[in-house]
Amino acid sequence: MKGIQSILIAFSILAFACSLASAYDPSPLQDFCVATTDIKNGVFVNGKFCKDPKLAVAEDFFFSGLNKPGNTSNPVGSNVTMVNVDALPGLNTLGISLVRIDYAPYGINPPHTHPRGSEILLVVQGTLYVGFVTSNPDNRLFTKILNPGDVFVFPIGMIHFQFNIGKTEAVAFAGLSSQNAGVITIANAVFGSNPPINPDVLAKAFQLDKKTVKYLQSRF
């Protein structure tokens, strides 16, 4: 009997510790948050500072403009209009955000990842070829062709993409499970980093010659 009680106590302590860890180590809302002992320079928090609730107004919870098409006149032929905490202050601490994605004919939302949120995509116009790749070592590719009314989910952190395979424009809306999910576009991050990654590193990683790597870097 004492053995069972000891096990129950141990599980209770573990559960309590996990709840404390969850309460005091929330998911990050930015790329990093470096600790500082200098109070004068400690101006950032994990997320945004909160307005006094008594000073909140309806405009804090309102955004207008998702009915307007985004400009897709760019090399990839797509445009993402984000409604995150930077655009809609009322989203702070709520753990959600929204985007509108416009695609020119054969436009693409290039392979990218959201480090802080999962994504659920709804197609409202056009036909999209979408997919995501799982982590190492399997690197499984999950793809689907979506038509208006179809929905697809991209799990948090997975590299994913959308490609307009139609001859007409396409539009989709997506919800994300973070007020600031972040986005890392793979090609831009790898070949367009600032400062540039040493070409020797990329040549080895991608099994390319340095001339090709430098050309790709010049494109970003």
Side-chain angles (χ1 to χ4, degrees):
M1 187 69 177
K2 290 184 178 180
I4 296 176
Q5 289 179 337
S6 298
I7 293 173
L8 290 176
I9 291 172
F11 272 111
S12 297
I13 293 173
L14 178 61
F16 180 68
C18 290
S19 67
L20 286 178
S22 176
Y24 288 95
D25 287 314
S27 298
L29 298 172
Q30 54 211 32
D31 287 344
F32 50 80
C33 187
V34 180
T36 179
T37 56
D38 186 349
I39 298 177
K40 294 181 179 180
N41 290 326
V43 296
F44 291 98
V45 294
N46 187 24
K48 301 285 187 180
F49 288 108
C50 297
K51 177 188 286 190
D52 185 338
K54 296 178 182 179
L55 302 178
V57 295
E59 293 299 316
D60 293 329
F61 306 94
F62 175 78
F63 178 90
S64 180
L66 284 188
N67 60 315
K68 300 176 182 178
N71 183 5
T72 59
S73 297
N74 54 62
V76 296
S78 69
N79 182 279
V80 179
T81 304
M82 301 183 66
V83 186
N84 58 16
V85 68
D86 293 324
L88 184 56
L91 288 176
N92 195 33
T93 76
L94 298 185
I96 55 172
S97 56
L98 179 70
V99 300
R100 169 181 172 142
I101 314 170
D102 291 275
Y103 312 82
Y106 306 110
I108 186 173
N109 190 9
H112 62 281
T113 178
H114 301 295
R116 296 182 290 274
S118 296
E119 175 181 346
I120 182 167
L121 182 88
L122 167 66
V123 177
V124 297
Q125 178 182 325
T127 303
L128 298 179
Y129 169 66
V130 307
F132 68 88
V133 180
T134 64
S135 57
N136 298 348
D138 295 335
N139 298 133
R140 291 184 63 193
L141 173 63
F142 292 85
T143 64
K144 197 74 176 176
I145 293 178
L146 306 182
N147 295 298
D150 291 342
V151 172
F152 198 80
V153 172
F154 304 108
I156 185 172
M158 299 292 99
I159 295 175
H160 59 284
F161 60 88
Q162 304 107 37
F163 177 48
N164 181 6
I165 58 176
K167 297 180 180 180
T168 60
E169 296 176 343
V171 180
F173 289 87
L176 296 118
S177 61
S178 171
Q179 68 184 47
N180 182 19
V183 59
I184 301 172
T185 304
I186 307 306
N188 298 59
V190 172
F191 296 107
S193 66
N194 183 24
I197 298 174
N198 188 315
D200 290 327
V201 174
L202 299 181
K204 187 72 172 180
F206 288 92
Q207 298 295 290
L208 299 171
D209 59 80
K210 287 179 62 174
K211 183 178 180 180
T212 301
V213 168
K214 290 182 177 179
Y215 169 75
L216 290 172
Q217 289 179 317
S218 72
R219 301 288 292 172
F220 296 92

